[in-house]
Amino acid sequence: MSGPVRHETKFYACYSQYWMIGTLDSDDEVPQPRDVTAERRIDVTRKGRVAKVETECPHGDVDLVFEFHEHEPAREPGSWHEVVENSMRLANEVFLENMDFGSDAIPVPGKPAELAWWRVRLHVRLDRDAEGVHPVGYDEVRETHVIQLWPAAKNTPKVLVQAPEEVGDAWEKLGIFATESLGFHEPSTSLVLHLGDSVPEFTGEGFQVSADGRGVRVLTSGWGEKDLYGAGISFTRAFPTEASGWEKEAEVTLTGPGQVLRMVPDGGTGWGAELPLPEGESGPWQVVVHARGRNPEREEGEYHVTVWPAGRWTASRERTGSLDATARTATVSGDPVIP
């Protein structure tokens, strides 16, 4: 190769990781990374054929750029969260795999018949959207990995750019007390949020706040074949409720016993979750539900539940207007506008 060979792809990270594996055409099966220590951003097995790469993104696409060079290149310019090097053995291809057994393959130039040591330099960039684009506490990161590779004898791992101690705002600064995720079965019909152990009673159909004021039912229909995911975040203080790019599905004040908001998808048939509420607070609790993904550009539907002590809502009320103690819900009429 007379110059660098470049490949760009997106690959889905699962559980904050993906694997790069050096494979041969003669392999009966892809080697698995059973002995990777995961002590570094990129760790390699003892025999050098498997590298585990850690990601900031727990689940989602990572933009990958592979550059194959004949000799050690200059480092890729740009502002990087982290730059690290390690050594691994490659031959015919770099086989990509995640923990859900998703895979892809990047060809190695020249397709050598035997495994040989290559130096791998990983550049990590994290791009966050501007403040206010998403619900407060929803930390969405676009992650890019630029991976430079060149033939070189095995060498020790090296850190060229050290990651900062904190990525983004700390929980304490944002007032985040706890986070939980939730999942839905298909087809999804509802999401019930309630205080206390027992599910409150709802009469009739549609969106409804329970008669005792401790629960709300939000409809989750109309998603077609899309998978649904969700997250809940509880705060120690109030925040504005605007979130561009999302639809506000509901905004309610709930009252009742307990220090947990229970989030129950699909009438109890889905994977429910218990979201701890701030200690020392007795409510009432302000709850806002956002959703996004009904537009055809997104493959998945997402829900975001935000809750905080309603008595501490003064600063937010001054900016967004007062709320009744009953629900206000957005009527879905077509796709949301994504700025």
Side-chain angles (χ1 to χ4, degrees):
M1 70 186 161
S2 57
V5 178
R6 185 180 176 95
H7 298 272
E8 297 186 22
T9 188
K10 290 182 181 291
F11 193 66
Y12 195 83
C14 290
Y15 306 99
S16 302
Q17 63 188 267
Y18 64 89
W19 303 327
M20 300 192 304
I21 305 168
T23 58
L24 285 162
D25 288 342
S26 58
D27 285 333
D28 293 329
E29 59 183 23
V30 176
Q32 295 300 304
R34 295 190 180 93
D35 57 346
V36 177
T37 61
E39 295 177 354
R40 306 176 183 87
R41 171 71 68 169
I42 176 171
D43 265 329
V44 180
T45 55
R46 181 175 56 83
K47 295 183 179 180
R49 292 189 65 179
V50 179
K52 177 182 177 182
V53 183
E54 292 191 347
T55 64
E56 294 293 330
C57 174
H59 298 273
D61 285 333
V62 177
D63 294 324
L64 299 184
V65 179
F66 285 84
E67 290 184 353
F68 293 89
H69 297 260
E70 292 181 335
H71 307 286
E72 180 178 356
R75 280 167 46 187
E76 184 78 11
S79 177
W80 300 104
H81 170 68
E82 194 168 0
V83 181
V84 296
E85 288 185 4
N86 212 325
S87 296
M88 68 179 298
R89 296 165 72 202
L90 300 176
N92 301 130
E93 64 184 8
V94 179
F95 187 85
L96 300 174
E97 190 170 60
N98 62 30
M99 292 187 71
D100 286 344
F101 302 104
S103 64
D104 197 357
I106 307 298
V108 175
K111 289 194 173 182
E114 299 295 334
L115 289 161
W117 285 102
W118 288 65
R119 194 64 171 169
V120 181
R121 180 185 293 160
L122 171 67
H123 305 71
V124 178
R125 182 169 62 243
L126 307 174
D127 298 316
R128 282 173 167 77
D129 287 326
E131 183 179 355
V133 174
H134 304 294
V136 175
Y138 189 95
D139 190 16
E140 185 171 52
V141 179
R142 293 191 303 273
E143 186 164 354
T144 300
H145 290 184
V146 175
I147 303 167
Q148 294 176 323
L149 307 99
W150 65 95
K154 182 181 179 181
N155 206 337
T156 56
K158 183 185 298 184
V159 176
L160 303 177
V161 174
Q162 181 65 52
E165 292 183 3
E166 292 185 1
V167 179
D169 292 316
W171 276 24
E172 183 177 355
K173 180 180 177 181
L174 287 172
I176 295 175
F177 180 73
T179 67
E180 288 291 340
S181 60
L182 64 156
F184 299 79
H185 286 180
E186 299 178 8
S188 176
T189 59
S190 67
L191 172 62
V192 172
L193 310 169
H194 68 93
L195 303 165
D197 294 332
S198 60
V199 179
E201 293 184 2
F202 297 98
T203 59
E205 303 294 333
F207 172 90
Q208 188 180 358
V209 178
S210 62
D212 58 8
R214 65 184 182 89
V216 60
R217 180 180 61 197
V218 180
L219 297 187
T220 59
S221 56
W223 291 96
E225 299 297 323
K226 291 188 177 184
D227 293 331
L228 296 186
Y229 299 89
I233 302 184
S234 65
F235 292 89
T236 59
R237 61 177 188 264
F239 286 94
T241 58
E242 300 90 346
S244 59
W246 295 71
E247 299 171 87
K248 185 185 292 184
E249 300 282 284
E251 189 165 359
V252 302
T253 301
L254 300 181
T255 59
Q259 289 298 119
V260 169
L261 178 70
R262 288 175 171 82
M263 305 183 293
V264 186
D266 309 323
T269 62
W271 166 31
E274 296 186 349
L275 178 62
L277 299 175
E279 299 170 352
E281 299 287 348
S282 59
W285 302 97
Q286 198 67 31
V287 179
V288 182
V289 181
H290 287 92
R292 70 172 179 179
R294 285 189 173 89
N295 59 315
E297 294 179 2
R298 286 190 173 270
E299 296 181 358
E300 301 168 345
E302 298 176 81
Y303 279 86
H304 186 278
V305 178
T306 303
V307 57
W308 64 81
R312 297 175 179 267
W313 199 51
T314 304
S316 182
R317 183 185 296 117
E318 291 175 355
R319 290 189 290 271
T320 61
S322 62
L323 283 182
D324 297 330
T326 56
R328 292 195 313 200
T329 181
T331 300
V332 178
S333 56
D335 295 335
V337 177
I338 306 296

